[in-house]
Amino acid sequence: QSVLTQPPSVSAAPGQKVTISCSGSSSNIGNNYVSWYQQLPGTAPKLLIYDNNKRPSGIPDRFSGSKSGTSATLGITGLQTGDEADYYCGTWDSTLSAGVFGGGTKLTVL
Amino acid sequence: QVQLVESGGGVVLPGMSLRLSCAASGFTFSTYAMHWVRQAPGKGLEWVALISFDGGNEYYTDSVKGRFTISRDNSKNTLFLQVNSLRTDDTAVYYCARDRGWLQSQELDYWGQGTLVTVSS
């Protein structure tokens, strides 16, 4: 199982808001920045959020990130059918001296 | 524009070796740390390895230590992953990715399209 824990799936209706949680420990999320990635079916992952809450150029402000203690959250507002994808959190683990990802969360827009 | 193009994947027998390559263009390759990340069929992302901008530091996930080696040739803008003693559970799409931040920041902002490694008897 993954070092970071995410819910396997979340769902919401178009136009609604959804949050995806990512739980870790003091050796990873608690002392390092968190990133979030979107993977559309059949494509490579795409960086959505870095440094806990910053968006790369071109990422709409419907996507937001936050961190508190050893947990992080990705928020998506104004859901669109095109947002259906797998979402992953990631960070560095200082104890393992390794990168770590969450198990991924499949978002369904009903 | 930034491009990362992986190659070198294929179908191999358990115990065999492969050398994966990632050709980089559109940015100053020698100033960025680089990662390999893999994804087994139908599974999630698994971080594999990281190399510093100058090749002086390397990090690996436990399951590949002693079998995989990450390296780079900054004169040729190319990242490598030497994969030895392959096992069936190494079967995955292998992605190379650029880190936009400092070493260990784990902020992978550009990814290649991936190369498939299949280990099967």
Side-chain angles (χ1 to χ4, degrees):
Chain A
Q1 55 272 32
S2 305
V3 171
L4 306 180
T5 302
Q6 297 181 234
S9 63
V10 296
S11 62
Q16 296 299 305
K17 173 183 178 178
V18 70
T19 60
I20 298 173
S21 61
C22 176
S23 178
S25 68
S26 59
S27 67
N28 42 67
I29 292 178
N31 284 285
N32 292 291
Y33 287 119
V34 177
S35 298
W36 287 91
Y37 304 86
Q38 176 193 61
Q39 187 176 33
L40 297 169
T43 69
K46 175 183 178 181
L47 179 66
L48 284 180
I49 298 289
Y50 67 96
D51 284 2
N52 302 330
N53 56 19
K54 296 182 174 62
R55 285 176 286 107
S57 173
I59 302 300
D61 59 6
R62 299 189 299 108
F63 296 90
S64 64
S66 64
K67 186 182 102 167
S68 177
T70 59
S71 293
T73 302
L74 173 70
I76 312 173
T77 60
L79 278 171
Q80 304 171 2
T81 55
D83 296 331
E84 286 203 334
D86 294 322
Y87 292 84
Y88 296 90
C89 57
T91 188
W92 186 258
D93 192 296
S94 304
T95 298
L96 297 174
S97 285
V100 290
F101 287 105
T105 299
K106 182 176 182 60
L107 169 64
T108 301
V109 181
L110 302 166
Chain B
Q1 70 281 20
V2 173
Q3 275 200 311
L4 298 170
V5 179
E6 302 94 336
S7 61
V11 181
V12 296
L13 295 169
M16 293 186 67
S17 300
L18 282 173
R19 191 190 199 200
L20 308 183
S21 299
C22 170
S25 60
F27 65 103
T28 307
F29 179 71
S30 61
T31 64
Y32 286 86
M34 297 292 296
H35 300 257
W36 285 99
V37 176
R38 67 184 179 182
Q39 187 169 35
K43 302 297 184 182
L45 301 177
E46 180 184 21
W47 179 84
V48 174
L50 163 66
I51 189 167
S52 58
F53 70 97
D54 61 355
N57 295 93
E58 303 167 23
Y59 303 86
Y60 300 91
T61 192
D62 281 347
S63 64
V64 309
K65 283 179 182 175
R67 300 189 300 123
F68 290 13
T69 302
I70 189 172
S71 62
R72 64 192 299 159
D73 185 339
N74 284 344
S75 69
K76 295 182 179 178
N77 292 341
T78 304
L79 176 72
F80 301 102
L81 186 68
Q82 178 69 38
V83 295
N84 298 332
S85 303
L86 280 163
R87 310 186 305 215
T88 55
D89 62 355
D90 293 319
T91 294
V93 173
Y94 285 72
Y95 296 101
C96 67
R98 187 184 84 166
D99 200 311
R100 65 168 301 283
W102 63 93
L103 190 67
Q104 301 177 2
S105 71
Q106 202 70 8
E107 298 171 352
L108 285 63
D109 64 344
Y110 285 94
W111 298 62
Q113 84 290 348
T115 187
L116 176 62
V117 173
T118 303
V119 185
S120 174
S121 55

